[in-house]
Amino acid sequence: MELIDGKSVSEELKKNIQQEVSNWIASGGKKPHLCAILVGDDGASHTYVAAKIKDCEAIGFTSSLFRFDSQVTEEKLLSTIIEINQNPDIDGLIVQLPLPGHISVDRVTQTIAPEKDVDGFHPQNVGRLSIGLPTYVSATPFGIIKLMEYYGIETAGKHCVVLGRSNIVGTPASILMSRNAYPGNATVTICHSKTKDLEKYTLQADIIIAAIGIPEFLKAHMVKPGTVVIDVGITRIEDSSKKAGFRLVGDVDFAAVAPLCSYITPVPGGVGPMTRIGLLTNTLKSARKEIYTTN
Ligand code: GUN
């Protein structure tokens, strides 16, 4: 079994991007600028946004942050997004999810200009992904694909079972794994909450992408020997023995499943750190106008 070290791969890729950014700026390019919007007081969201801003500073981007309390109206949020869309200095805009229940995630996503949608959530960017056009690949599917590429994991002709069909992970990951490219060319099955006899599928899988949001869902009896397991889950479980008061658990029963695998990602330190690389990559692409050549 080989442990996929997302932390060290992400550090290496971050250095590469940093070099690309300095080359771009040295050749007269504009400093990439990522803008984040954070609504409310969700602890995990604060941590994620702070990490994204820190990455921007470390890598030579400009960053800005708009913060709103959880009572902010949808109208105010949408008008702020429209202002940012029109600001030529800002290359990428993300609105951290989840949002309070009175705000429509769909309306927010669709208000962000597709050319600044570095999260890759806008329907136009998802549509481009699904027909193989250049696009912003969203952070988590990007991280999954890059890890497979880095480790040279064979995917062509393999059976990839994706657990979960969310817009931000399961669905785009399934599209990427089935496209005619590397990593890709896999035969893909998507399992979800209505799938019957789920282990019938996971037992046939050469690659399992677990993005179902249920801690330690994937058990040893559901995995055949030699499988590649990518664990996208990340749930905070109360743990008074930890300084933070919690520990992080994935969607895979790691202790029992890992000995069966050819490769497996740990949680934390697997897919998680790679997601931040996706966002930086997309913001640099936006600054260089690589996806949408005319804004
Ligand atoms: N919440 C959890 N993951 C993400 C992400 O990739 N982007 C945004 N905007 N919010 C998230």
Coordinates of all heavy atoms in Angstrom, one line a residue, residues 37 45 48-49 52 93-98 112 119 121 138-141 168-169 275 279, ligand 1:
I37 N -15.6 36.1 -0.8 CA -16.7 36.6 0.0 C -17.0 35.6 1.1 O -17.2 34.4 0.7 CB -17.9 36.9 -0.9 CG1 -17.6 38.0 -1.9 CG2 -19.1 37.3 0.0 CD1 -18.8 38.5 -2.8
S45 N -15.6 27.5 7.6 CA -15.5 28.4 6.4 C -14.4 29.5 6.7 O -13.7 29.8 5.8 CB -16.8 29.1 6.2 OG -17.7 28.1 5.6
Y48 N -11.0 27.9 6.2 CA -10.7 27.7 4.7 C -10.4 29.0 4.0 O -9.4 29.1 3.3 CB -11.9 27.0 4.0 CG -12.2 25.6 4.5 CD1 -13.5 25.1 4.6 CD2 -11.2 24.7 4.8 CE1 -13.8 23.8 5.0 CE2 -11.4 23.4 5.2 CZ -12.7 23.0 5.3 OH -13.0 21.7 5.7
V49 N -11.2 30.0 4.3 CA -11.0 31.3 3.6 C -9.6 31.9 4.0 O -8.8 32.4 3.2 CB -12.1 32.3 3.8 CG1 -11.8 33.7 3.3 CG2 -13.4 31.8 3.1
K52 N -6.9 30.2 2.2 CA -6.9 30.6 0.7 C -6.2 32.0 0.6 O -5.4 32.2 -0.3 CB -8.3 30.7 0.2 CG -9.0 29.3 0.0 CD -10.4 29.4 -0.3 CE -11.1 28.0 -0.3 NZ -12.5 28.0 -0.6
L93 N -13.2 35.4 -8.3 CA -14.1 35.6 -7.2 C -14.7 34.3 -6.7 O -15.2 33.5 -7.5 CB -15.3 36.5 -7.7 CG -16.5 36.6 -6.7 CD1 -16.1 37.2 -5.4 CD2 -17.6 37.5 -7.3
I94 N -14.6 34.1 -5.4 CA -15.2 32.9 -4.8 C -16.2 33.4 -3.7 O -15.8 34.3 -2.9 CB -14.2 31.9 -4.2 CG1 -13.3 32.6 -3.2 CG2 -13.3 31.3 -5.3 CD1 -12.5 31.5 -2.3
V95 N -17.3 32.8 -3.6 CA -18.2 33.0 -2.4 C -18.1 31.7 -1.6 O -18.6 30.6 -2.1 CB -19.6 33.3 -2.9 CG1 -20.6 33.5 -1.7 CG2 -19.6 34.5 -3.8
Q96 N -17.6 31.8 -0.4 CA -17.4 30.5 0.4 C -18.8 29.9 0.7 O -19.7 30.6 1.2 CB -16.6 30.8 1.6 CG -16.2 29.6 2.4 CD -15.2 28.7 1.7 OE1 -14.5 29.1 0.8 NE2 -15.2 27.4 2.1
L97 N -18.9 28.6 0.5 CA -20.1 27.9 0.8 C -19.9 27.1 2.1 O -18.7 26.7 2.4 CB -20.5 26.9 -0.3 CG -20.7 27.6 -1.7 CD1 -21.0 26.5 -2.7 CD2 -21.8 28.6 -1.6
P98 N -20.8 26.8 2.9 CA -22.3 27.0 2.7 C -22.7 28.5 3.0 O -21.9 29.2 3.7 CB -22.9 26.1 3.7 CG -21.9 25.9 4.8 CD -20.6 26.0 4.2
I112 N -22.1 35.2 -10.5 CA -20.6 35.4 -10.7 C -20.3 35.3 -12.2 O -20.8 34.4 -12.8 CB -19.8 34.3 -9.9 CG1 -20.1 34.5 -8.4 CG2 -18.3 34.4 -10.2 CD1 -19.5 33.4 -7.5
D119 N -13.9 29.1 -8.9 CA -14.4 27.9 -8.2 C -14.9 26.9 -9.3 O -15.1 25.7 -8.9 CB -15.6 28.2 -7.3 CG -15.1 28.3 -5.8 OD1 -14.2 27.6 -5.4 OD2 -15.8 29.0 -5.1
F121 N -17.9 26.7 -10.5 CA -19.3 26.3 -10.1 C -20.4 26.8 -11.1 O -21.5 26.3 -11.1 CB -19.6 26.8 -8.7 CG -18.8 26.2 -7.6 CD1 -18.9 26.7 -6.3 CD2 -18.1 25.0 -7.8 CE1 -18.2 26.2 -5.3 CE2 -17.3 24.5 -6.8 CZ -17.4 25.0 -5.5
S138 N -13.2 22.7 -10.8 CA -13.3 23.1 -9.4 C -12.3 22.4 -8.5 O -11.7 21.3 -8.9 CB -14.8 23.0 -8.9 OG -15.3 21.7 -9.2
A139 N -12.1 23.0 -7.4 CA -10.9 22.7 -6.6 C -10.8 21.2 -6.2 O -9.7 20.6 -6.3 CB -10.9 23.5 -5.3
T140 N -11.8 20.5 -5.8 CA -11.7 19.2 -5.3 C -11.5 18.2 -6.4 O -10.5 17.4 -6.4 CB -12.9 18.8 -4.4 OG1 -13.0 19.8 -3.4 CG2 -12.7 17.4 -3.7
P141 N -12.3 18.2 -7.5 CA -12.0 17.3 -8.6 C -10.6 17.6 -9.2 O -9.9 16.6 -9.5 CB -13.0 17.6 -9.6 CG -14.1 18.3 -8.9 CD -13.5 19.0 -7.7
I168 N -20.3 19.8 -6.6 CA -18.9 20.3 -6.5 C -17.9 19.2 -6.4 O -16.7 19.5 -6.6 CB -18.8 21.4 -5.4 CG1 -19.0 20.8 -4.0 CG2 -19.7 22.5 -5.6 CD1 -18.6 21.8 -2.9
V169 N -18.3 18.0 -6.2 CA -17.3 16.9 -6.2 C -17.7 15.7 -7.1 O -17.1 15.5 -8.1 CB -17.0 16.4 -4.8 CG1 -15.8 15.4 -4.9 CG2 -16.6 17.5 -3.8
T275 N -6.7 20.9 -2.9 CA -7.8 21.7 -3.4 C -7.4 23.2 -3.5 O -7.8 23.9 -4.4 CB -9.0 21.6 -2.5 OG1 -8.7 22.1 -1.2 CG2 -9.6 20.2 -2.4
L279 N -7.5 26.2 -6.8 CA -7.9 27.6 -6.8 C -6.8 28.6 -7.3 O -7.1 29.5 -8.1 CB -8.4 28.0 -5.4 CG -9.0 29.3 -5.2 CD1 -10.2 29.5 -6.0 CD2 -9.3 29.6 -3.7
Ligands
GUN1 N1 -17.1 25.1 0.6 C1 -16.5 23.9 0.6 N2 -15.7 23.7 -0.5 C2 -15.8 24.9 -1.2 C3 -15.1 25.4 -2.4 O1 -14.4 24.7 -3.1 N3 -15.4 26.6 -2.8 C4 -16.3 27.4 -2.1 N4 -16.6 28.6 -2.6 N5 -16.9 27.0 -1.0 C5 -16.6 25.8 -0.5

